[in-house]
Amino acid sequence: MLAHQRQELILDAVRTHGGVRVADLVERLGVSEMTVRRDIGELSRRGLVARVHGGAAAIGRTSEEPGFAAKSNLRPDAKRAIARAAADLVPDGASVGLSAGTTTAEVARELRDVSDLTVVTNSPRVADLLHDPADHSRTVILSGGTRTPSDALVGPVARAGLRGLHVDVLFLGVHGLDAAAGLSTPNLTEADTNRALMDCAARVVVVADASKWGVVGLTSFAALSAVDVLVTDDTLDPSARPVISELVGELVIAGIPQEEDQ
């Protein structure tokens, strides 16, 4: 099947259903994930679809925010690999910030092996994963705020709770990463809370799987130059690597174990 034929089928699916997942297109078209992403990228450049995390959506839908459960099913193998690489950056006795998100939840699971840890988060799920009444060496500080569909606590209460706090490193999940748009999210209030989290951190580490590259949400909240470390996975398009390396402090590529690669 020629590229223009695949792209017509993708465009038809987006118009019919409002959006389509990369995984479904791979199965339907019988091509690789990278081929599908390139087709979506071309349609996006032509202004025919919006490139979003995990697939493509009809123009005008970039403000929609998926729920936590829906996002948990997207690329879990990559998220686990990223979380393992990210946790290696944390020494015993560190203070750590964790934003809400499915990838940061995986980081939280990996951090349970770090001793004498202090955690600041706006995610009830992250707090639950790290709170252990029997472990008095670990301190978990949960901000207040209004809960979003992605299970983040946001808004003025969250920002007030974070004001004046300082952590050694922040692990930040994002909806999209783009050379021009930087870090973005569909939720305006979550963007503001993410900025507050970044203000707390001596070092900002973004954890984002490769499918988020080139995705632009409704609002940007930071430039890529504000990122000290980006941890992503080894399915990142090779052409994106030099672009990202030029913009962020350090690029870490986590390998997905073969037995987990789906």
Side-chain angles (χ1 to χ4, degrees), residues 21-23 26 31-34 37 73-78 80 233-235 256-262:
R21 296 173 64 242
V22 168
V26 167
V31 295
S32 70
E33 181 177 316
M34 183 171 290
R37 293 191 186 282
N73 295 323
L74 296 173
R75 307 205 67 212
D77 53 340
R80 286 191 292 268
D233 66 87
D234 58 6
T235 65
I256 303 174
Q258 288 299 310
E259 64 273 18
E260 294 184 8
D261 199 358
Q262 300 295 325

PDB file of all heavy atoms in Angstrom, residues 21-23 26 31-34 37 73-78 80 233-235 256-262:
ATOM      1  N   ARG A  21      -5.984   5.302  17.336  1.00  0.00           N
ATOM      2  CA  ARG A  21      -4.759   4.942  18.037  1.00  0.00           C
ATOM      3  C   ARG A  21      -3.731   4.356  17.077  1.00  0.00           C
ATOM      4  O   ARG A  21      -4.083   3.662  16.122  1.00  0.00           O
ATOM      5  CB  ARG A  21      -5.058   3.922  19.144  1.00  0.00           C
ATOM      6  CG  ARG A  21      -5.956   4.449  20.247  1.00  0.00           C
ATOM      7  CD  ARG A  21      -6.361   3.352  21.220  1.00  0.00           C
ATOM      8  NE  ARG A  21      -5.224   2.802  21.940  1.00  0.00           N
ATOM      9  CZ  ARG A  21      -4.830   1.533  21.866  1.00  0.00           C
ATOM     10  NH1 ARG A  21      -5.466   0.685  21.081  1.00  0.00           N
ATOM     11  NH2 ARG A  21      -3.801   1.122  22.573  1.00  0.00           N
ATOM     12  N   VAL A  22      -2.457   4.641  17.341  1.00  0.00           N
ATOM     13  CA  VAL A  22      -1.373   4.103  16.517  1.00  0.00           C
ATOM     14  C   VAL A  22      -1.426   2.576  16.488  1.00  0.00           C
ATOM     15  O   VAL A  22      -1.289   1.953  15.429  1.00  0.00           O
ATOM     16  CB  VAL A  22      -0.002   4.582  17.043  1.00  0.00           C
ATOM     17  CG1 VAL A  22       1.132   3.801  16.383  1.00  0.00           C
ATOM     18  CG2 VAL A  22       0.178   6.065  16.789  1.00  0.00           C
ATOM     19  N   ALA A  23      -1.638   1.954  17.654  1.00  0.00           N
ATOM     20  CA  ALA A  23      -1.651   0.494  17.733  1.00  0.00           C
ATOM     21  C   ALA A  23      -2.726  -0.112  16.830  1.00  0.00           C
ATOM     22  O   ALA A  23      -2.510  -1.139  16.174  1.00  0.00           O
ATOM     23  CB  ALA A  23      -1.866   0.043  19.179  1.00  0.00           C
ATOM     24  N   VAL A  26      -1.546   0.188  13.175  1.00  0.00           N
ATOM     25  CA  VAL A  26      -0.508  -0.803  12.860  1.00  0.00           C
ATOM     26  C   VAL A  26      -1.147  -2.132  12.485  1.00  0.00           C
ATOM     27  O   VAL A  26      -0.783  -2.771  11.483  1.00  0.00           O
ATOM     28  CB  VAL A  26       0.450  -0.975  14.065  1.00  0.00           C
ATOM     29  CG1 VAL A  26       1.323  -2.213  13.883  1.00  0.00           C
ATOM     30  CG2 VAL A  26       1.313   0.268  14.237  1.00  0.00           C
ATOM     31  N   VAL A  31       1.578  -2.376   8.842  1.00  0.00           N
ATOM     32  CA  VAL A  31       2.881  -1.725   8.718  1.00  0.00           C
ATOM     33  C   VAL A  31       3.452  -1.474  10.106  1.00  0.00           C
ATOM     34  O   VAL A  31       2.791  -1.728  11.118  1.00  0.00           O
ATOM     35  CB  VAL A  31       2.765  -0.388   7.938  1.00  0.00           C
ATOM     36  CG1 VAL A  31       2.341  -0.648   6.499  1.00  0.00           C
ATOM     37  CG2 VAL A  31       1.779   0.555   8.622  1.00  0.00           C
ATOM     38  N   SER A  32       4.674  -0.950  10.162  1.00  0.00           N
ATOM     39  CA  SER A  32       5.322  -0.718  11.455  1.00  0.00           C
ATOM     40  C   SER A  32       4.753   0.504  12.159  1.00  0.00           C
ATOM     41  O   SER A  32       4.137   1.379  11.539  1.00  0.00           O
ATOM     42  CB  SER A  32       6.828  -0.532  11.265  1.00  0.00           C
ATOM     43  OG  SER A  32       7.088   0.705  10.616  1.00  0.00           O
ATOM     44  N   GLU A  33       5.005   0.576  13.465  1.00  0.00           N
ATOM     45  CA  GLU A  33       4.574   1.732  14.244  1.00  0.00           C
ATOM     46  C   GLU A  33       5.234   3.009  13.738  1.00  0.00           C
ATOM     47  O   GLU A  33       4.591   4.060  13.663  1.00  0.00           O
ATOM     48  CB  GLU A  33       4.923   1.506  15.717  1.00  0.00           C
ATOM     49  CG  GLU A  33       4.493   2.628  16.646  1.00  0.00           C
ATOM     50  CD  GLU A  33       4.795   2.339  18.099  1.00  0.00           C
ATOM     51  OE1 GLU A  33       4.538   1.202  18.544  1.00  0.00           O
ATOM     52  OE2 GLU A  33       5.296   3.249  18.781  1.00  0.00           O
ATOM     53  N   MET A  34       6.510   2.915  13.362  1.00  0.00           N
ATOM     54  CA  MET A  34       7.212   4.099  12.871  1.00  0.00           C
ATOM     55  C   MET A  34       6.589   4.617  11.576  1.00  0.00           C
ATOM     56  O   MET A  34       6.459   5.837  11.367  1.00  0.00           O
ATOM     57  CB  MET A  34       8.693   3.785  12.655  1.00  0.00           C
ATOM     58  CG  MET A  34       9.514   4.998  12.217  1.00  0.00           C
ATOM     59  SD  MET A  34      11.290   4.691  12.221  1.00  0.00           S
ATOM     60  CE  MET A  34      11.590   4.579  13.988  1.00  0.00           C
ATOM     61  N   ARG A  37       3.425   6.470  12.450  1.00  0.00           N
ATOM     62  CA  ARG A  37       3.721   7.768  13.061  1.00  0.00           C
ATOM     63  C   ARG A  37       4.182   8.770  11.994  1.00  0.00           C
ATOM     64  O   ARG A  37       3.860   9.962  12.066  1.00  0.00           O
ATOM     65  CB  ARG A  37       4.779   7.619  14.151  1.00  0.00           C
ATOM     66  CG  ARG A  37       4.283   6.829  15.347  1.00  0.00           C
ATOM     67  CD  ARG A  37       5.235   6.925  16.523  1.00  0.00           C
ATOM     68  NE  ARG A  37       4.797   6.048  17.590  1.00  0.00           N
ATOM     69  CZ  ARG A  37       3.798   6.330  18.415  1.00  0.00           C
ATOM     70  NH1 ARG A  37       3.158   7.478  18.299  1.00  0.00           N
ATOM     71  NH2 ARG A  37       3.444   5.472  19.356  1.00  0.00           N
ATOM     72  N   ASN A  73      -2.932   2.222  29.836  1.00  0.00           N
ATOM     73  CA  ASN A  73      -2.855   1.126  28.870  1.00  0.00           C
ATOM     74  C   ASN A  73      -1.963   1.443  27.679  1.00  0.00           C
ATOM     75  O   ASN A  73      -1.757   0.583  26.818  1.00  0.00           O
ATOM     76  CB  ASN A  73      -4.264   0.781  28.368  1.00  0.00           C
ATOM     77  CG  ASN A  73      -5.142   0.236  29.474  1.00  0.00           C
ATOM     78  OD1 ASN A  73      -4.664  -0.494  30.345  1.00  0.00           O
ATOM     79  ND2 ASN A  73      -6.418   0.595  29.454  1.00  0.00           N
ATOM     80  N   LEU A  74      -1.455   2.668  27.605  1.00  0.00           N
ATOM     81  CA  LEU A  74      -0.627   3.074  26.479  1.00  0.00           C
ATOM     82  C   LEU A  74       0.850   2.842  26.781  1.00  0.00           C
ATOM     83  O   LEU A  74       1.390   3.380  27.744  1.00  0.00           O
ATOM     84  CB  LEU A  74      -0.852   4.556  26.163  1.00  0.00           C
ATOM     85  CG  LEU A  74      -2.254   4.944  25.706  1.00  0.00           C
ATOM     86  CD1 LEU A  74      -2.376   6.464  25.595  1.00  0.00           C
ATOM     87  CD2 LEU A  74      -2.578   4.294  24.372  1.00  0.00           C
ATOM     88  N   ARG A  75       1.509   1.980  26.023  1.00  0.00           N
ATOM     89  CA  ARG A  75       2.942   1.726  26.080  1.00  0.00           C
ATOM     90  C   ARG A  75       3.470   1.460  27.494  1.00  0.00           C
ATOM     91  O   ARG A  75       4.431   2.089  27.948  1.00  0.00           O
ATOM     92  CB  ARG A  75       3.708   2.885  25.449  1.00  0.00           C
ATOM     93  CG  ARG A  75       3.237   3.244  24.047  1.00  0.00           C
ATOM     94  CD  ARG A  75       4.303   3.916  23.231  1.00  0.00           C
ATOM     95  NE  ARG A  75       5.386   2.983  22.950  1.00  0.00           N
ATOM     96  CZ  ARG A  75       6.665   3.370  22.822  1.00  0.00           C
ATOM     97  NH1 ARG A  75       7.002   4.632  22.986  1.00  0.00           N
ATOM     98  NH2 ARG A  75       7.595   2.480  22.552  1.00  0.00           N
ATOM     99  N   PRO A  76       2.858   0.523  28.219  1.00  0.00           N
ATOM    100  CA  PRO A  76       3.319   0.253  29.586  1.00  0.00           C
ATOM    101  C   PRO A  76       4.751  -0.267  29.640  1.00  0.00           C
ATOM    102  O   PRO A  76       5.467  -0.002  30.604  1.00  0.00           O
ATOM    103  CB  PRO A  76       2.322  -0.799  30.092  1.00  0.00           C
ATOM    104  CG  PRO A  76       1.789  -1.448  28.858  1.00  0.00           C
ATOM    105  CD  PRO A  76       1.740  -0.349  27.826  1.00  0.00           C
ATOM    106  N   ASP A  77       5.197  -0.999  28.608  1.00  0.00           N
ATOM    107  CA  ASP A  77       6.574  -1.508  28.584  1.00  0.00           C
ATOM    108  C   ASP A  77       7.582  -0.373  28.539  1.00  0.00           C
ATOM    109  O   ASP A  77       8.594  -0.375  29.241  1.00  0.00           O
ATOM    110  CB  ASP A  77       6.775  -2.460  27.398  1.00  0.00           C
ATOM    111  CG  ASP A  77       6.347  -1.840  26.067  1.00  0.00           C
ATOM    112  OD1 ASP A  77       5.557  -0.866  26.069  1.00  0.00           O
ATOM    113  OD2 ASP A  77       6.794  -2.330  25.019  1.00  0.00           O
ATOM    114  N   ALA A  78       7.287   0.638  27.720  1.00  0.00           N
ATOM    115  CA  ALA A  78       8.182   1.793  27.630  1.00  0.00           C
ATOM    116  C   ALA A  78       8.207   2.570  28.939  1.00  0.00           C
ATOM    117  O   ALA A  78       9.271   3.017  29.393  1.00  0.00           O
ATOM    118  CB  ALA A  78       7.747   2.700  26.480  1.00  0.00           C
ATOM    119  N   ARG A  80       7.731   1.460  31.959  1.00  0.00           N
ATOM    120  CA  ARG A  80       8.509   0.740  32.975  1.00  0.00           C
ATOM    121  C   ARG A  80      10.004   0.921  32.746  1.00  0.00           C
ATOM    122  O   ARG A  80      10.778   1.114  33.690  1.00  0.00           O
ATOM    123  CB  ARG A  80       8.133  -0.742  32.974  1.00  0.00           C
ATOM    124  CG  ARG A  80       6.775  -1.037  33.587  1.00  0.00           C
ATOM    125  CD  ARG A  80       6.586  -2.529  33.795  1.00  0.00           C
ATOM    126  NE  ARG A  80       6.478  -3.235  32.533  1.00  0.00           N
ATOM    127  CZ  ARG A  80       5.331  -3.495  31.913  1.00  0.00           C
ATOM    128  NH1 ARG A  80       4.194  -3.056  32.433  1.00  0.00           N
ATOM    129  NH2 ARG A  80       5.316  -4.162  30.783  1.00  0.00           N
ATOM    130  N   ASP A 233      12.338   6.478  25.616  1.00  0.00           N
ATOM    131  CA  ASP A 233      12.664   5.082  25.285  1.00  0.00           C
ATOM    132  C   ASP A 233      13.300   4.968  23.910  1.00  0.00           C
ATOM    133  O   ASP A 233      13.322   5.924  23.130  1.00  0.00           O
ATOM    134  CB  ASP A 233      11.409   4.206  25.378  1.00  0.00           C
ATOM    135  CG  ASP A 233      10.381   4.571  24.334  1.00  0.00           C
ATOM    136  OD1 ASP A 233      10.462   4.046  23.210  1.00  0.00           O
ATOM    137  OD2 ASP A 233       9.484   5.387  24.642  1.00  0.00           O
ATOM    138  N   ASP A 234      13.800   3.783  23.601  1.00  0.00           N
ATOM    139  CA  ASP A 234      14.610   3.602  22.399  1.00  0.00           C
ATOM    140  C   ASP A 234      13.813   3.466  21.108  1.00  0.00           C
ATOM    141  O   ASP A 234      14.394   3.176  20.056  1.00  0.00           O
ATOM    142  CB  ASP A 234      15.564   2.405  22.564  1.00  0.00           C
ATOM    143  CG  ASP A 234      14.852   1.100  22.871  1.00  0.00           C
ATOM    144  OD1 ASP A 234      13.598   1.073  22.850  1.00  0.00           O
ATOM    145  OD2 ASP A 234      15.539   0.090  23.124  1.00  0.00           O
ATOM    146  N   THR A 235      12.500   3.685  21.143  1.00  0.00           N
ATOM    147  CA  THR A 235      11.738   3.754  19.904  1.00  0.00           C
ATOM    148  C   THR A 235      11.649   5.194  19.386  1.00  0.00           C
ATOM    149  O   THR A 235      10.980   5.456  18.386  1.00  0.00           O
ATOM    150  CB  THR A 235      10.305   3.187  20.069  1.00  0.00           C
ATOM    151  OG1 THR A 235       9.572   4.009  20.991  1.00  0.00           O
ATOM    152  CG2 THR A 235      10.343   1.759  20.576  1.00  0.00           C
ATOM    153  N   ILE A 256      13.974  -0.840  25.926  1.00  0.00           N
ATOM    154  CA  ILE A 256      12.845  -1.700  26.292  1.00  0.00           C
ATOM    155  C   ILE A 256      13.292  -3.150  26.131  1.00  0.00           C
ATOM    156  O   ILE A 256      13.672  -3.562  25.033  1.00  0.00           O
ATOM    157  CB  ILE A 256      11.627  -1.429  25.393  1.00  0.00           C
ATOM    158  CG1 ILE A 256      11.220   0.040  25.468  1.00  0.00           C
ATOM    159  CG2 ILE A 256      10.459  -2.324  25.792  1.00  0.00           C
ATOM    160  CD1 ILE A 256      10.110   0.419  24.498  1.00  0.00           C
ATOM    161  N   PRO A 257      13.279  -3.943  27.203  1.00  0.00           N
ATOM    162  CA  PRO A 257      13.689  -5.345  27.095  1.00  0.00           C
ATOM    163  C   PRO A 257      12.874  -6.070  26.033  1.00  0.00           C
ATOM    164  O   PRO A 257      11.681  -5.864  25.883  1.00  0.00           O
ATOM    165  CB  PRO A 257      13.394  -5.900  28.494  1.00  0.00           C
ATOM    166  CG  PRO A 257      13.461  -4.713  29.397  1.00  0.00           C
ATOM    167  CD  PRO A 257      12.904  -3.570  28.576  1.00  0.00           C
ATOM    168  N   GLN A 258      13.557  -6.926  25.283  1.00  0.00           N
ATOM    169  CA  GLN A 258      12.919  -7.609  24.163  1.00  0.00           C
ATOM    170  C   GLN A 258      11.692  -8.415  24.577  1.00  0.00           C
ATOM    171  O   GLN A 258      10.697  -8.462  23.875  1.00  0.00           O
ATOM    172  CB  GLN A 258      13.923  -8.527  23.474  1.00  0.00           C
ATOM    173  CG  GLN A 258      14.975  -7.796  22.665  1.00  0.00           C
ATOM    174  CD  GLN A 258      14.386  -6.969  21.548  1.00  0.00           C
ATOM    175  OE1 GLN A 258      13.575  -7.447  20.760  1.00  0.00           O
ATOM    176  NE2 GLN A 258      14.772  -5.701  21.484  1.00  0.00           N
ATOM    177  N   GLU A 259      11.759  -9.057  25.752  1.00  0.00           N
ATOM    178  CA  GLU A 259      10.643  -9.882  26.167  1.00  0.00           C
ATOM    179  C   GLU A 259       9.411  -9.065  26.510  1.00  0.00           C
ATOM    180  O   GLU A 259       8.297  -9.579  26.568  1.00  0.00           O
ATOM    181  CB  GLU A 259      11.003 -10.769  27.370  1.00  0.00           C
ATOM    182  CG  GLU A 259      11.339 -10.010  28.654  1.00  0.00           C
ATOM    183  CD  GLU A 259      12.796  -9.616  28.754  1.00  0.00           C
ATOM    184  OE1 GLU A 259      13.472  -9.629  27.686  1.00  0.00           O
ATOM    185  OE2 GLU A 259      13.265  -9.348  29.871  1.00  0.00           O
ATOM    186  N   GLU A 260       9.587  -7.702  26.722  1.00  0.00           N
ATOM    187  CA  GLU A 260       8.461  -6.845  27.027  1.00  0.00           C
ATOM    188  C   GLU A 260       7.964  -6.088  25.809  1.00  0.00           C
ATOM    189  O   GLU A 260       6.904  -5.509  25.809  1.00  0.00           O
ATOM    190  CB  GLU A 260       8.849  -5.822  28.119  1.00  0.00           C
ATOM    191  CG  GLU A 260       9.149  -6.445  29.444  1.00  0.00           C
ATOM    192  CD  GLU A 260       9.435  -5.394  30.499  1.00  0.00           C
ATOM    193  OE1 GLU A 260       9.238  -4.207  30.213  1.00  0.00           O
ATOM    194  OE2 GLU A 260       9.846  -5.769  31.606  1.00  0.00           O
ATOM    195  N   ASP A 261       8.788  -6.036  24.757  1.00  0.00           N
ATOM    196  CA  ASP A 261       8.450  -5.239  23.580  1.00  0.00           C
ATOM    197  C   ASP A 261       7.295  -5.869  22.838  1.00  0.00           C
ATOM    198  O   ASP A 261       7.385  -7.002  22.378  1.00  0.00           O
ATOM    199  CB  ASP A 261       9.683  -5.143  22.669  1.00  0.00           C
ATOM    200  CG  ASP A 261       9.579  -4.003  21.699  1.00  0.00           C
ATOM    201  OD1 ASP A 261       8.546  -3.324  21.720  1.00  0.00           O
ATOM    202  OD2 ASP A 261      10.537  -3.827  20.917  1.00  0.00           O
ATOM    203  N   GLN A 262       6.207  -5.147  22.726  1.00  0.00           N
ATOM    204  CA  GLN A 262       5.013  -5.651  22.071  1.00  0.00           C
ATOM    205  C   GLN A 262       4.859  -5.009  20.696  1.00  0.00           C
ATOM    206  O   GLN A 262       4.976  -3.838  20.569  1.00  0.00           O
ATOM    207  CB  GLN A 262       3.770  -5.330  22.921  1.00  0.00           C
ATOM    208  CG  GLN A 262       3.834  -5.940  24.300  1.00  0.00           C
ATOM    209  CD  GLN A 262       3.817  -7.445  24.309  1.00  0.00           C
ATOM    210  OE1 GLN A 262       3.151  -8.040  23.473  1.00  0.00           O
ATOM    211  NE2 GLN A 262       4.526  -8.067  25.207  1.00  0.00           N
TER     212      GLN A 262
END
